[in-house]
Coordinates of all heavy atoms in Angstrom, one line a residue:
A324 N 33.5 8.0 201.4 CA 34.1 7.9 200.1 C 34.5 6.5 199.6 O 34.7 6.3 198.4 CB 35.3 8.8 200.0
G325 N 34.7 5.5 200.5 CA 35.2 4.2 200.1 C 34.1 3.5 199.3 O 33.0 3.6 199.5
P326 N 34.6 2.7 198.3 CA 36.0 2.4 197.9 C 36.6 3.4 196.9 O 37.7 3.3 196.5 CB 35.9 1.0 197.3 CG 34.6 1.0 196.6 CD 33.7 1.8 197.6
G327 N 35.8 4.5 196.5 CA 36.4 5.5 195.7 C 35.9 5.8 194.4 O 36.4 6.7 193.7
G328 N 34.8 5.1 193.9 CA 34.3 5.3 192.6 C 33.8 6.8 192.4 O 34.1 7.4 191.5
K329 N 32.9 7.2 193.3 CA 32.3 8.5 193.2 C 33.4 9.6 193.5 O 33.4 10.6 192.8 CB 31.1 8.7 194.2 CG 29.9 7.7 193.8 CD 28.8 7.9 194.8 CE 27.6 7.0 194.4 NZ 27.9 5.6 194.6
A330 N 34.3 9.3 194.4 CA 35.4 10.3 194.7 C 36.2 10.4 193.4 O 36.7 11.5 193.1 CB 36.2 9.8 195.9
G331 N 36.4 9.4 192.7 CA 37.2 9.4 191.5 C 36.5 10.3 190.4 O 37.2 11.1 189.7
L332 N 35.2 10.2 190.3 CA 34.5 11.0 189.3 C 34.5 12.5 189.8 O 34.7 13.4 189.0 CB 33.1 10.5 189.2 CG 32.1 11.3 188.2 CD1 32.7 11.4 186.9 CD2 30.8 10.6 188.1
L333 N 34.2 12.7 191.1 CA 34.2 14.1 191.6 C 35.6 14.7 191.4 O 35.7 15.9 191.1 CB 33.8 14.1 193.1 CG 32.3 13.7 193.4 CD1 32.1 13.7 194.9 CD2 31.3 14.6 192.7
G334 N 36.6 13.9 191.7 CA 38.0 14.5 191.6 C 38.3 14.8 190.2 O 39.0 15.9 190.0
A335 N 37.9 14.0 189.2 CA 38.2 14.3 187.8 C 37.5 15.6 187.4 O 38.1 16.5 186.7 CB 37.8 13.2 186.9
I336 N 36.2 15.8 187.8 CA 35.5 17.0 187.5 C 36.1 18.2 188.2 O 36.2 19.3 187.7 CB 34.0 16.8 187.7 CG1 33.5 15.7 186.9 CG2 33.2 18.1 187.5 CD1 32.0 15.3 187.1
A337 N 36.5 18.0 189.5 CA 37.1 19.1 190.3 C 38.3 19.6 189.6 O 38.6 20.8 189.6 CB 37.4 18.6 191.7
A338 N 39.1 18.7 189.0 CA 40.3 19.2 188.3 C 40.0 20.1 187.2 O 40.7 21.1 186.9 CB 41.1 18.0 187.8
Q339 N 38.9 19.9 186.5 CA 38.5 20.7 185.4 C 37.9 22.1 185.8 O 38.0 23.0 185.2 CB 37.4 20.0 184.5 CG 37.9 18.7 183.9 CD 36.9 18.1 183.0 OE1 35.7 17.9 183.4 NE2 37.2 17.7 181.8
R340 N 37.3 22.1 187.1 CA 36.6 23.3 187.6 C 37.4 24.1 188.5 O 37.0 25.1 189.1 CB 35.3 22.9 188.2 CG 34.2 22.3 187.3 CD 32.9 22.3 187.9 NE 31.9 21.5 187.3 CZ 30.6 21.4 187.7 NH1 30.3 21.9 188.8 NH2 29.8 20.7 187.0
G341 N 38.6 23.6 188.8 CA 39.5 24.4 189.8 C 39.0 24.2 191.2 O 39.2 25.0 192.1
A342 N 38.3 23.0 191.5 CA 37.8 22.8 192.9 C 38.7 21.7 193.5 O 39.6 21.1 192.9 CB 36.4 22.3 192.8
R343 N 38.4 21.5 194.8 CA 39.2 20.5 195.5 C 38.2 19.6 196.3 O 37.2 20.1 196.9 CB 40.2 21.1 196.4 CG 41.1 20.1 197.2 CD 42.4 20.6 197.6 NE 43.3 19.5 198.0 CZ 44.1 18.9 197.1 NH1 44.2 19.4 195.9 NH2 44.8 17.9 197.5
V344 N 38.5 18.3 196.4 CA 37.6 17.4 197.1 C 38.2 16.9 198.3 O 39.4 16.4 198.3 CB 37.2 16.2 196.2 CG1 36.3 15.2 196.9 CG2 36.6 16.6 194.9
T345 N 37.5 16.9 199.4 CA 37.9 16.2 200.7 C 37.1 14.9 200.7 O 35.9 14.9 200.7 CB 37.6 17.1 201.9 OG1 38.4 18.3 201.8 CG2 38.0 16.3 203.2
A346 N 37.8 13.8 200.7 CA 37.2 12.5 200.7 C 37.4 11.8 202.1 O 38.5 11.6 202.5 CB 37.7 11.6 199.6
V347 N 36.3 11.5 202.8 CA 36.3 11.0 204.1 C 35.9 9.5 204.1 O 34.9 9.1 203.5 CB 35.4 11.7 205.1 CG1 35.4 11.1 206.5 CG2 35.8 13.2 205.1
E348 N 36.7 8.6 204.7 CA 36.4 7.2 204.8 C 36.9 6.7 206.2 O 38.0 6.8 206.5 CB 37.0 6.4 203.7 CG 36.9 4.9 203.8 CD 35.5 4.5 204.0 OE1 34.6 4.9 203.2 OE2 35.3 3.7 205.0

Side-chain angles (χ1 to χ4, degrees):
K329 294 181 180 67
L332 178 54
L333 294 179
I336 298 174
Q339 296 181 315
R340 295 195 190 178
R343 184 158 195 89
V344 179
T345 299
V347 178
E348 172 53 50

